[in-house]
Amino acid sequence: DAKTTQPNSMESNEEEPVHLPCNHSTISGTDYIHWYRQLPSQGPEYVIHGLTSNVNNRMASLAIAEDRKSSTLILHRATLRDAAVYYCILRGFAPGGTSYGKLTFGQGTILTVHP
Amino acid sequence: DTEVTQTPKHLVMGMTNKKSLKCEQHMGHRAMYWYKQKAKKPPELMFVYSYEKLSINESVPSRFSPECPNSSLLNLHLHALQPEDSALYLCASRFSGTSTDTQYFGPGTRLTVL
């Protein structure tokens, strides 16, 4: 899987938007951009994924640059419960292929949310 | 039911003990995983089972022995561990969609080897 680069840490205030960047300059055309987060003392949880277009779900939004070399996870109103390590992961996947779903985690971004 | 359960939550064992970690999911996922996570580090893949067969072993020492008795259950048998094996052990299962896939993780078993 191609490599991603994220800032080590970011801080936000409660109820403010948070933009978490991820650089993936070597992304290939079939790589999906996935975001997972890991809350303290819990296992990672899936947040969102996208390929080319911006994506929204109940947890967050994903903005993907036109050249796909970077993306941004957007939390529209941060809460204290959003304090976690956020991982940006590229997943190469071909329908009917033999990928076994190996997730290669980078160091991630530690998000601190202040009340 | 979109939950992956792991037992026990915590485990303390000596270097001569034999113990097992258990993972269960009832989402019908046919791929299951063991990851190891050291403190302040990202999770690292250990094993992948696909349709109850071992598909990937990431060069894990033989003192870790995985087992997949059926499509819902995944075990990790531990024997003669070292103190450096102390870590959070995470289990996950995989949902494969038409275009990509997502993994569901359990809360982990925190293992301490004395």
Side-chain angles (χ1 to χ4, degrees):
Chain A
D1 291 327
K3 185 177 168 58
T4 62
T5 304
Q6 300 177 251
N8 289 335
S9 62
M10 292 186 66
E11 297 187 19
S12 173
N13 294 319
E14 206 174 6
E15 298 191 4
E16 290 184 354
V18 180
H19 291 233
L20 297 165
C22 180
N23 288 321
H24 29 79
S25 58
T26 59
I27 190 171
S28 73
T30 56
D31 283 339
Y32 281 78
I33 302 158
H34 286 241
W35 285 81
Y36 284 75
R37 72 179 185 180
Q38 187 170 18
L39 280 64
S41 301
Q42 295 189 28
E45 66 174 340
Y46 165 80
V47 178
I48 200 167
H49 76 270
L51 182 63
T52 56
S53 304
N54 295 343
V55 184
N56 301 301
N57 67 19
R58 64 175 180 79
M59 290 180 70
S61 296
L62 177 60
I64 301 173
E66 196 168 335
D67 63 5
R68 299 206 330 122
K69 294 185 186 300
S70 66
S71 61
T72 302
L73 180 71
I74 302 166
L75 307 179
H76 294 285
R77 290 185 65 185
T79 69
L80 297 178
R81 292 182 56 194
D82 291 320
V85 181
Y86 286 80
Y87 297 102
C88 170
I89 301 170
L90 300 185
R91 284 286 296 127
F93 185 83
T98 57
S99 167
Y100 292 113
K102 176 179 176 179
L103 283 180
T104 303
F105 289 83
Q107 293 302 311
T109 297
I110 301 171
L111 176 65
T112 301
V113 180
H114 299 290
Chain B
D1 183 3
T2 59
E3 190 180 20
V4 174
T5 59
Q6 291 187 243
T7 54
K9 285 187 169 35
H10 301 275
L11 178 63
V12 179
M13 60 186 291
M15 288 189 286
T16 59
N17 292 156
K18 285 186 180 180
K19 297 287 185 183
S20 296
L21 309 184
K22 178 181 171 182
C23 172
E24 202 161 0
Q25 58 91 13
H26 296 283
M27 294 177 278
H29 297 168
R30 301 309 296 271
M32 296 183 73
Y33 305 76
W34 281 114
Y35 290 83
K36 174 181 178 179
Q37 185 174 26
K38 300 284 279 183
K40 299 191 184 305
K41 297 291 187 183
E44 293 181 338
L45 182 68
M46 299 175 72
F47 303 103
V48 180
Y49 271 83
S50 179
Y51 290 87
E52 295 91 68
K53 292 193 185 326
L54 183 64
S55 302
I56 295 178
N57 176 340
E58 293 285 286
S59 302
V60 179
S62 60
R63 56 185 184 269
F64 295 91
S65 176
E67 178 195 21
C68 190
N70 59 57
S71 60
S72 299
L73 192 55
L74 186 66
N75 297 320
L76 185 63
H77 303 296
L78 313 172
H79 173 55
L81 294 193
Q82 303 296 311
E84 58 264 29
D85 296 322
S86 298
L88 181 68
Y89 289 84
L90 294 160
C91 174
S93 68
R94 174 192 181 210
F95 167 76
S96 291
T98 56
S99 59
T100 187
D101 57 354
T102 58
Q103 291 192 16
Y104 293 79
F105 286 81
T109 293
R110 189 160 299 282
L111 174 69
T112 302
V113 182
L114 301 177

